[in-house]
Amino acid sequence: MSYTEDTLNALRRTSPAQDEFFQAVREVLASLGPLLDSHPRYRKERVIERIVEPERQILFRVAWVDDEGTVQVNKGYRVQFSSTLGPVKGGLRFHPSVNGGVIKFLGFEQILKNALTGLPLGGGKGGANFDPKGRSDQEVMRFCQAFMTELFRHVGPTVDVPAGDIGVGAREIGYLFGQYKRLTGRFDGVITGKRASWGGSLGRKEATGYGCVYFAEELLRARGDGLEGKRCAVSGAGNVAVHTVERLRSMGAKPVTVTDTTGTIHHERGIDLDLLVEVKEMRRAGLAEYARERGDARFIPVEEYPEGEHPVWSVPCDVAFPCATQNELTLADARTLVSSGCECVCEGANMPATPDAMAHLMNAKLAYGPGKAANAGGVATSQLEMSQNASMQQWGLEEVDRRLREIMANIHRSVEEAAAEFGEPGNLVFGANIAGFRKVADAMIEQGIH
Ligand code: NDP
Ligand code: 2IT
């Protein structure tokens, strides 16, 4: 059996019931054959066995009191996967589906994603199985305070720097930071995604969506094309999706869909950004409200979705941007996209395509931007926030956006070059896995067995 198969089999035994983690590792290892053949030292020094094992996992109880006076208990996680390239860096996810396997998949992806940014960042992830939906601001505050009351002893600006992810936006970051500051007496760059008026970076909240659009522009440019005039299908209606829609519109493309956990909006005239922000960010409501206020938009409630398919991908599009969550795009969806003429899929979310969907899209040779490259603009701009915090500066929006564009173009180039170097030109899934892994693996060897 091969080295990678041996490692995968061992992982199945030692990390049972962690399906998403296993999926993420298998995809990476499937790309590494030629690299491992040409670098026997990786095997000799057991770099793969080491990289799939987190440096440290912190699991903790989060007990808090809801508005009725009832005690609630949640599971808290922080997986400090790798500090090889810099302080551990990665978001926090608050969602009822969070478990050890989900956090480990996200943390593992984050190691390679952060490596691709070219910035000094390790990788990790955290979160809780807490559902902020339907909770009052006071409840969210108490939860965040309880969460940070355990986490604060494990994080710090040169140790581990959390940020947002699903369910963790500016409100949660504010409560988390406030509690860290009270407990430590320090105002420092311990968390990113802070409001710009108290230590945040301009452009951070937009960065993942904008960066994803810049990456799609690079993908299309490599084929002598561009985004202008393209019909785009976007899934999700949160931070990444909203800013993807915003940047697509300003670049002359036409986003026609968004989705949330209640359903899908198809608005042929183009998504109305102001209304979307009003419904999702101000009112924290479901997308049916969007359709109620725009008679020409179609709303498909989740109860009417066909089994195993997502209707957002059957809206004909030139470019698809999955920006909601993992495994949201199935093989049936991939077939629909290919047969209706989609040219490009660019992943705003982490691991949004199932393995068979990804294989189908790659076989069809459409331009494919894997999440760990295409959505790296968020964490890259988090590092710009860390730089500003460390030097007590605040850069202008134009400066941050200029750097973001440059970083996305560099990621695209390095991923393309790695794919070509190992005999798979144009295969950016392969290129991203190789380029990210190689950078971390070499540094691990240089830093000695650990
Ligand atoms: P948000 O919480 O802001 O938005 C998530 C959106 O996806 C919501 O509209 C949510 O619906 C919808 N959604 C649909 N199905 C699901 C599901 N099963 N679980 C959770 N959400 C679902 O998160 P983000 O926009 O920040 O994150 C979206 C994706 O992008 C995630 O995969 C995340 O890991 C990734 N990402 C985020 C980065 C960031 O900087 N925030 C950086 C890089 C990647 P509803 O509104 O009904 O809850
Ligand atoms: O998945 C991701 O890259 C994020 N949620 C952002 C991480 C960060 O530290 O900004």
Side-chain angles (χ1 to χ4, degrees):
M1 235 188 298
S2 77
Y3 175 38
T4 52
E5 278 171 49
D6 283 346
T7 313
L8 279 172
N9 287 337
L11 199 65
R12 261 283 192 230
R13 282 195 305 276
T14 57
S15 303
Q18 299 196 332
D19 293 339
E20 291 88 352
F21 175 53
F22 191 76
Q23 180 184 337
V25 172
R26 186 164 51 185
E27 183 219 294
V28 171
L29 298 197
S31 306
L32 297 183
L35 180 73
L36 296 172
D37 289 345
S38 62
H39 290 70
R41 220 174 148 188
Y42 293 153
R43 181 179 191 149
K44 185 164 167 282
E45 303 214 9
R46 302 187 70 182
V47 174
I48 293 184
E49 289 94 323
R50 286 195 273 149
I51 205 174
V52 300
E53 205 53 58
E55 282 178 19
R56 190 171 303 102
Q57 302 191 57
I58 301 145
L59 312 180
F60 50 100
R61 175 177 67 216
V62 188
W64 56 285
V65 182
D66 70 17
D67 286 348
E68 269 70 58
T70 307
V71 176
Q72 300 283 344
V73 184
N74 289 99
K75 289 180 189 297
Y77 302 83
R78 186 71 184 168
V79 176
Q80 298 176 333
F81 229 115
S82 169
S83 62
T84 299
L85 297 180
V88 172
K89 184 81 192 90
L92 297 173
R93 176 175 291 192
F94 292 168
H95 192 270
S97 65
V98 162
N99 59 39
V102 168
I103 297 297
K104 276 176 71 181
F105 121 65
L106 290 162
F108 181 72
E109 289 279 297
Q110 198 82 46
I111 307 173
L112 304 189
K113 180 196 305 192
N114 293 2
L116 291 175
T117 65
L119 300 167
L121 295 169
K125 202 83 183 189
N129 64 345
F130 167 71
D131 190 356
K133 250 187 220 137
R135 292 291 179 191
S136 69
D137 286 351
Q138 294 294 306
E139 290 178 313
V140 171
M141 179 184 77
R142 287 196 294 273
F143 176 81
C144 290
Q145 291 177 340
F147 186 88
M148 186 52 88
T149 299
E150 173 58 32
L151 191 67
F152 86 98
R153 69 192 80 243
H154 306 291
V155 295
T158 59
V159 178
D160 180 359
V161 184
D165 192 81
I166 289 176
V168 178
R171 174 182 61 170
E172 290 75 17
I173 296 288
Y175 295 145
L176 290 164
F177 180 76
Q179 185 70 353
Y180 170 87
K181 192 160 57 70
R182 266 187 297 281
L183 289 166
T184 61
R186 289 198 295 269
F187 191 113
D188 59 27
V190 68
I191 192 162
T192 60
K194 302 182 290 296
R195 294 257 191 227
S197 55
W198 47 267
S201 175
L202 292 167
R204 171 61 187 92
K205 81 172 155 41
E206 295 86 354
T208 311
Y210 281 22
C212 189
V213 173
Y214 299 153
F215 199 85
E217 182 78 355
E218 295 293 333
L219 290 172
L220 293 171
R221 202 199 318 271
R223 299 183 167 210
D225 203 349
L227 273 170
E228 199 173 343
K230 298 287 189 211
R231 275 175 64 85
C232 301
V234 178
S235 67
N239 173 275
V240 180
V242 163
H243 295 105
T244 297
V245 165
E246 181 178 287
R247 200 70 184 103
L248 284 171
R249 289 183 63 104
S250 66
M251 286 172 73
K254 188 177 170 192
V256 293
T257 65
V258 281
T259 71
D260 69 6
T261 48
T262 67
T264 295
I265 287 285
H266 173 194
H267 197 178
E268 197 46 45
R269 283 173 51 170
I271 294 297
D272 180 331
L273 187 65
D274 292 339
L275 179 59
L276 177 64
V277 170
E278 167 66 28
V279 168
K280 293 304 299 180
E281 285 179 22
M282 311 296 168
R283 298 184 211 161
R284 293 185 185 268
L287 284 172
E289 284 202 17
Y290 181 108
R292 270 198 285 279
E293 295 184 32
R294 288 292 174 278
D296 58 340
R298 189 165 65 111
F299 177 67
I300 309 154
V302 281
E303 299 77 34
E304 293 175 18
Y305 287 6
E307 180 69 25
E309 290 173 51
H310 199 306
V312 70
W313 310 123
S314 56
V315 174
C317 66
D318 301 309
V319 189
F321 290 92
C323 297
T325 192
Q326 64 270 12
N327 293 327
E328 57 166 311
L329 197 160
T330 63
L331 176 60
D333 298 325
R335 289 196 173 121
T336 307
L337 283 170
V338 171
S339 63
S340 61
C342 175
E343 303 156 26
C344 173
V345 175
C346 193
E347 297 181 343
N350 286 306
M351 204 170 75
T354 58
D356 49 3
M358 187 187 255
H360 187 77
L361 295 168
M362 284 162 62
N363 284 340
K365 303 276 180 226
L366 43 68
Y368 192 97
K372 60 175 80 67
N375 72 39
V379 74
T381 307
S382 277
Q383 199 279 343
L384 303 182
E385 182 170 332
M386 290 162 71
S387 296
Q388 293 168 76
N389 291 163
S391 60
M392 310 279 272
Q393 292 179 26
Q394 182 148 43
W395 304 338
L397 187 56
E398 275 180 23
E399 169 71 8
V400 175
D401 192 54
R402 184 188 62 73
R403 289 185 191 232
L404 172 63
R405 282 190 102 124
E406 204 174 284
I407 291 166
M408 298 315 293
N410 286 341
I411 295 174
H412 180 261
R413 187 167 6 85
S414 65
V415 164
E416 239 190 358
E417 284 171 5
E421 184 186 340
F422 287 90
E424 292 266 348
N427 182 342
L428 301 196
V429 171
F430 206 78
N433 290 334
I434 287 186
F437 175 84
R438 179 166 55 181
K439 185 158 185 205
V440 182
D442 290 345
M444 284 174 76
I445 289 175
E446 282 159 8
Q447 291 175 20
I449 302 294
H450 62 296

